[in-house]
Amino acid sequence: MERVLIHIHGIVQGVGFRPFIHKQVRAYRLAGTIKNTSSGVELELEGEREELERFLADLPHKAPKLAVIEKIESEFFTELKHFTDFRILQSKTEDQRNTLISPDIGICDDCLRELLDPADRRYRYPFINCTNCGPRFTIIKDVPYDRAKTSMSEFPMCPDCDREYHDIENRRYHAQPDCCGDCGPHVFYLDAAGNPVAGDAIALARAALKAGKIVAVKGLGGIHLSCRCDDPEIARTLRRRKQRDEKPFAIMCRDVDCARKICEVSKAEEALLTSFRRPIVLLKKRARGTLAHLSENNDIGVMLPYTPLHVLLFGEDIDMLVMTSANLSDTPIVYRNDEAVEKLRGIADGFLLHNREIQTRCDDSLCSCLDGEAYFARRSRGYVPFPVSVHESVGMILACGAEQKASFCLSKGNYVFPSQHIGDLKNVETLENYEQQIRHFEKLFDIRPSAIACDLHPDYLSTAYAAARSEEEGIPLIPVQHHHAHMAACMADNALSGEVIGLVWDGTGYGTDGTTWGGECLVGGYDGFARVGSIRPIPLVGGDLVTKEPLRVAWALEHDAGEKIPEGENEAVWEKMLAGGLNCPPSSGMGRLFDGVSAMLGIKTRCSYEGQGAILLEAAAADDDGLYPIAWEEENGLLRFDWRESIRAIRAELARGTDRGVIAARFMNTLVETGVRQCVFARERSGLERVVLSGGSFQNRYMMHRLPAALEDKGFAVYHHRRVSTNDEGISLGQLMIAGAALERK
Ligand code: ZN
Ligand code: ZN
Ligand code: FE
């Protein structure tokens, strides 16, 4: 017999870890104690040395799936304390509000089996769940997390469920949302006018979908609009009703094999699709024209059913359905039954709803697969509100994010809690939701910020919120330059300290000189930065209008490059505006360069959603290694990519009739080369070898398949985002780290 003291570091609280250990201790015939510590849990166990070692070896791969074990330390002793049983010790400092809250988890295999087993008491019950799956974050009103503080409070457990709940051997032990057909929520179906329809709700919804209707389906964090995938006419109807012109719709496939019928699915992509987090994964279509009415580019967003209700809706004969957030253009996702009927009137032909309330909106997560891992465009359902751990403790800070892809982060020690997808704050309802969610997170995790970080942009609504709160609460406000925040976000994402080179490419960010930046090469760390590379500013003829009308950018690029432009009425007006400096703010936005070239190639001359020009340019790219000539301007240590030479080359190729796909590829190859050259320039100045890549432009997969490799070829260590989004949704993490460093200095 021996005694062992074990420290488990990581995210092991609030994830069913203690019941798990309890079971393991029994299985290995051990005795001892467990208690929570500030960095994880501490175990003290006695038993046969061999059993103790097997127990330790099994821990990492048997642990609950939400647990993140960062390190296990163990020390053996020969003198015994003669434990006779297993006890959970309440540590004195243990604060209920230190407990983490689980994200919502997709249906597990055990529940799926029971759901489809006619002999099981939960056969075809659409709310089946267990300790390993089901709703969590989206049904919680307050902490501590127990049934009384969730949407399940109005459904008292029946004796059968109660027995399972209290049986430590049962897989529903302490599963707060546990329920069955006798005691839990139920589904119902409403017609277009919101009147109840008698009959089997799921059968009614299935029949409506098959008949080509648009049906609102209540999910975990909100309501989806669903319809058949195969009929362009239905998709057009949905677009018209939803006021969504061309933006791609995500689809839900019954299983991976159904997804494979239309998309290529790698092993890593399959693992992402089937993971308990069930994000929407961007997959490459097998044929470009497949489902073009749902997605106009080469990819389509695919997810698998993640609630038992979805499983029943698909049955055995529906392969795929459109599943898009139920909302009107840019408003937040509809999530309550009453507002569903009111707001979706005229959009949905029917409603498959239920009486378990959603407390908190949480949109589907969206990612692609990069190096075998999730690469986020949106980190939301299935991930939030789980923290990302950071390597330096930052205390309690609120970081308010950007504006169009709003998000916030709150920190507590080494944990940073990034918010779910919020949306564009310029929408009033979205702004309200943003403010509510900040308060909700502060309550859930008991965080009282001692400082507030925000973007440097004076007009962002997130900045206004931050300033108002800083004033009200008398706590410091720390404005952070946009691209510096991107760089710091990618550093924290990869647990980097010190100084790095940051290649930060996006559409728009407020610069320290008051102009719009966006294709930047920075050098620095959390403490500060210097701007060493950028691109030649592009005059945005008509200001913000250019994002919708990229033809204006194309014209400005060609005009500046000295090309003869065929004169039309518009051009004459633009010429005057430019000459008079009238509403032509300069921008070094990389996104604008993409838009402009996309419009020059005639790929997209009017955009109906953000980034559309760049996305379609990427989609059009052929397989080609060519490059265009690159020129540079250097002033005061700032190396600017002068794109005029490249624009002239593109113009000449267009005149020669070169394939547009080839031009698109050569243009992006040119950008990869400029990125490498800027990093080499930055390395010569600074001696730094680590490069972080951040910004919305790096959602471009063509670039992400070439730029890191090209940089590595030159001897750089390259880091991209792994845990938060590369677009503006991720910058709150960087703001937070920079604010943390600023407070530290004081
Ligand atoms: Zn389950
Ligand atoms: Zn029950
Ligand atoms: Fe940005």
Side-chain angles (χ1 to χ4, degrees):
M1 294 284 282
E2 283 191 34
R3 179 166 59 93
V4 65
L5 193 61
I6 306 168
H7 284 275
I8 304 172
H9 301 267
I11 301 175
V12 289
Q13 298 175 18
V15 294
F17 204 76
R18 285 185 293 187
F20 154 73
I21 292 289
H22 196 158
K23 276 192 220 175
Q24 290 294 102
V25 161
R26 276 199 192 184
Y28 293 92
R29 295 186 307 274
L30 309 173
T33 60
I34 184 170
K35 69 176 181 210
N36 283 344
T37 67
S38 58
S39 65
V41 296
E42 185 186 291
L43 276 162
E44 193 165 22
L45 298 173
E46 288 177 359
E48 307 265 351
R49 171 84 188 214
E50 211 174 292
E51 293 289 289
L52 288 169
E53 279 178 354
R54 276 210 303 139
F55 171 88
L56 270 168
D58 282 349
L59 268 183
H61 43 271
K62 285 199 176 162
K65 54 191 168 187
L66 279 172
V68 181
I69 295 179
E70 283 160 1
K71 192 168 61 175
I72 300 177
E73 293 168 329
S74 60
E75 197 182 345
F76 283 87
F77 302 92
T78 46
E79 81 275 21
L80 301 177
K81 291 191 178 171
H82 302 289
F83 296 118
T84 53
D85 57 2
F86 184 70
R87 281 204 191 146
I88 295 174
L89 304 179
Q90 289 315 112
S91 62
K92 271 186 204 130
T93 55
E94 190 172 343
D95 176 353
Q96 290 277 28
R97 291 186 185 240
N98 256 331
T99 314
L100 301 178
I101 290 166
S102 165
D104 304 285
I105 307 170
I107 184 169
C108 74
D109 290 343
D110 290 329
C111 287
L112 187 60
R113 199 178 325 107
E114 289 181 2
L115 178 71
L116 303 175
D117 174 6
D120 192 273
R121 73 184 187 92
R122 291 187 181 85
Y123 177 56
R124 293 186 62 79
Y125 179 58
F127 304 95
I128 186 170
N129 68 82
C130 72
T131 316
N132 291 318
C133 76
R136 298 287 189 275
F137 173 56
T138 55
I139 59 166
I140 293 174
K141 297 178 199 174
D142 199 359
V143 283
Y145 170 51
D146 58 37
R147 194 181 183 94
K149 294 198 166 117
T150 71
S151 300
M152 293 301 293
S153 61
E154 51 194 286
F155 304 102
M157 278 185 198
C158 68
D160 284 341
C161 288
D162 191 65
R163 205 170 307 122
E164 293 167 337
Y165 179 88
H166 287 103
D167 175 9
I168 194 158
E169 298 295 334
N170 194 285
R171 65 186 187 83
R172 295 197 166 86
Y173 175 68
H174 278 198
Q176 303 301 345
D178 182 26
C179 59
C180 70
D182 290 338
C183 64
H186 67 272
V187 284
F188 53 90
Y189 190 79
L190 308 177
D191 65 16
N195 299 313
V197 182
D200 178 339
I202 294 170
L204 288 164
R206 281 167 50 80
L209 287 166
K210 285 182 181 177
K213 303 286 190 217
I214 293 165
V215 177
V217 178
K218 190 162 169 180
L220 275 178
I223 294 172
H224 286 119
L225 289 167
S226 187
C227 66
R228 284 166 64 144
C229 291
D230 56 353
D231 187 339
E233 194 47 50
I234 299 171
R236 261 195 293 279
T237 304
L238 178 56
R239 287 190 188 283
R240 195 183 62 241
R241 292 184 187 174
K242 217 183 129 150
Q243 297 174 23
R244 177 160 163 147
D245 290 350
E246 294 167 311
K247 203 171 175 185
F249 286 135
I251 63 172
M252 186 179 273
C253 291
R254 190 175 72 234
D255 52 31
V256 178
D257 284 338
C258 288
R260 254 198 198 99
K261 286 180 190 165
I262 48 164
C263 298
E264 292 168 17
V265 187
S266 70
K267 274 264 165 285
E269 285 164 339
E270 177 170 353
L272 268 177
L273 281 170
T274 56
S275 86
F276 64 88
R277 303 183 189 277
R278 297 285 159 97
I280 299 171
V281 183
L282 285 171
L283 298 176
K284 187 160 186 263
K285 294 185 209 164
R286 286 188 180 278
R288 169 126 212 233
T290 306
L291 300 182
H293 53 285
L294 302 182
S295 165
E296 58 181 351
N297 61 53
N298 297 350
D299 302 331
I300 186 160
V302 177
M303 62 183 146
L304 300 186
Y306 53 85
T307 67
L309 180 57
H310 292 144
V311 174
L312 298 173
L313 184 66
F314 275 78
E316 281 170 20
D317 54 347
I318 295 179
D319 280 358
M320 55 190 74
L321 291 169
V322 168
M323 278 286 173
T324 183
S325 303
N327 57 357
L328 203 62
S329 37
D330 284 328
T331 60
I333 189 168
V334 172
Y335 72 117
R336 293 200 325 262
N337 292 351
D338 52 348
E339 65 164 4
V341 173
E342 182 191 319
K343 290 189 173 167
L344 302 176
R345 196 180 296 272
I347 299 180
D349 299 312
F351 298 84
L352 179 60
L353 303 177
H354 56 72
N355 60 341
R356 186 181 69 202
E357 265 183 67
I358 297 172
Q359 296 298 332
T360 300
R361 280 192 188 94
C362 196
D363 287 74
D364 297 315
S365 290
L366 173 64
C367 63
S368 57
C369 190
L370 182 64
D371 296 346
E373 289 178 355
Y375 186 60
F376 292 103
R378 179 188 289 179
R379 179 189 184 272
S380 201
R381 179 191 44 78
Y383 297 89
V384 174
F386 237 43
V388 296
S389 54
V390 289
H391 56 299
E392 285 167 30
S393 175
V394 279
M396 290 188 188
I397 300 173
L398 164 65
C400 290
E403 181 174 79
Q404 201 185 8
K405 289 186 194 307
S407 78
F408 61 85
C409 275
L410 279 154
S411 62
K412 194 175 197 178
N414 289 80
Y415 284 157
V416 175
F417 299 89
S419 71
Q420 69 271 47
H421 166 81
I422 302 282
D424 188 342
L425 297 183
K426 285 196 283 297
N427 175 278
V428 178
E429 276 179 89
T430 308
L431 182 62
E432 274 170 17
N433 187 44
Y434 169 81
E435 299 184 3
Q436 279 166 12
Q437 289 305 311
I438 291 176
R439 296 297 187 182
H440 188 51
F441 271 60
E442 286 174 350
K443 189 168 79 168
L444 289 184
F445 303 111
D446 195 26
I447 295 174
R448 290 163 306 272
S450 60
I452 301 187
C454 65
D455 197 275
L456 193 61
H457 201 305
D459 301 332
Y460 276 180
L461 290 163
S462 52
T463 304
Y465 173 83
R469 270 199 65 177
S470 149
E471 168 103 35
E472 266 165 40
E473 296 172 24
I475 50 179
L477 179 70
I478 303 165
V480 177
Q481 198 280 323
H482 188 92
H483 301 91
H484 185 206
H486 269 300
M487 177 175 88
C490 194
M491 288 176 68
D493 204 338
N494 289 281
L496 303 181
S497 302
E499 298 216 314
V500 301
I501 298 168
L503 205 54
V504 183
W505 289 0
D506 66 3
T508 303
Y510 193 83
T512 50
D513 57 3
T515 69
T516 300
W517 294 6
E520 313 306 317
C521 182
L522 312 179
V523 161
Y526 303 123
D527 282 325
F529 74 100
R531 188 187 190 203
V532 297
S534 186
I535 66 171
R536 179 182 171 83
I538 303 164
L540 305 182
V541 184
D544 285 343
L545 260 181
V546 299
T547 52
K548 291 216 162 69
E549 300 178 21
L551 219 44
R552 291 168 180 265
V553 185
W555 179 84
L557 293 176
E558 296 187 55
H559 184 268
D560 197 8
E563 295 292 312
K564 286 206 179 72
I565 312 296
E567 288 291 327
E569 260 176 61
N570 282 338
E571 282 88 342
V573 175
W574 298 342
E575 181 95 63
K576 269 197 200 120
M577 288 170 71
L578 202 55
L582 207 75
N583 198 15
C584 290
S587 161
S588 61
M590 187 57 78
R592 298 294 83 76
L593 198 52
F594 267 96
D595 289 348
V597 172
S598 180
M600 271 180 77
L601 301 188
I603 290 171
K604 201 67 203 170
T605 51
R606 281 193 78 86
C607 290
S608 70
Y609 59 92
E610 194 232 343
Q612 190 180 16
I615 289 166
L616 294 181
L617 182 116
E618 179 194 349
D623 197 10
D624 189 281
D625 294 330
L627 277 184
Y628 294 125
I630 297 169
W632 298 98
E633 304 167 340
E634 198 188 329
E635 55 164 319
N636 305 326
L638 180 63
L639 184 70
R640 286 187 191 271
F641 163 46
D642 178 351
W643 34 260
R644 288 177 300 181
E645 286 269 347
S646 299
I647 294 298
R648 284 193 283 270
I650 291 172
R651 191 77 234 167
E653 290 220 298
L654 276 172
R656 276 199 298 277
T658 307
D659 176 72
R660 277 145 217 267
V662 170
I663 303 179
R666 290 179 181 168
F667 165 66
M668 288 191 284
N669 297 340
T670 307
L671 294 183
V672 168
E673 184 60 24
T674 66
V676 172
R677 296 265 288 273
Q678 291 195 331
C679 289
V680 169
F681 177 79
R683 179 167 61 188
E684 283 162 4
R685 308 277 138 141
S686 64
L688 298 168
E689 304 237 306
R690 296 181 299 177
V691 177
V692 296
L693 303 177
S694 187
S697 298
F698 293 126
Q699 279 171 252
N700 182 312
R701 290 211 261 170
Y702 184 98
M703 306 282 285
M704 288 313 287
H705 284 137
R706 284 162 183 80
L707 181 56
L711 284 166
E712 278 160 13
D713 271 355
K714 297 277 184 213
F716 290 101
V718 187
Y719 302 85
H720 60 71
H721 281 282
R722 292 168 183 282
R723 299 183 293 171
V724 300
S725 301
T726 194
N727 60 39
D728 280 4
E729 186 188 88
I731 74 165
S732 52
L733 174 60
Q735 293 173 346
L736 196 140
M737 297 304 286
I738 290 165
L743 294 177
E744 180 96 334
R745 282 196 305 276
K746 279 186 192 166

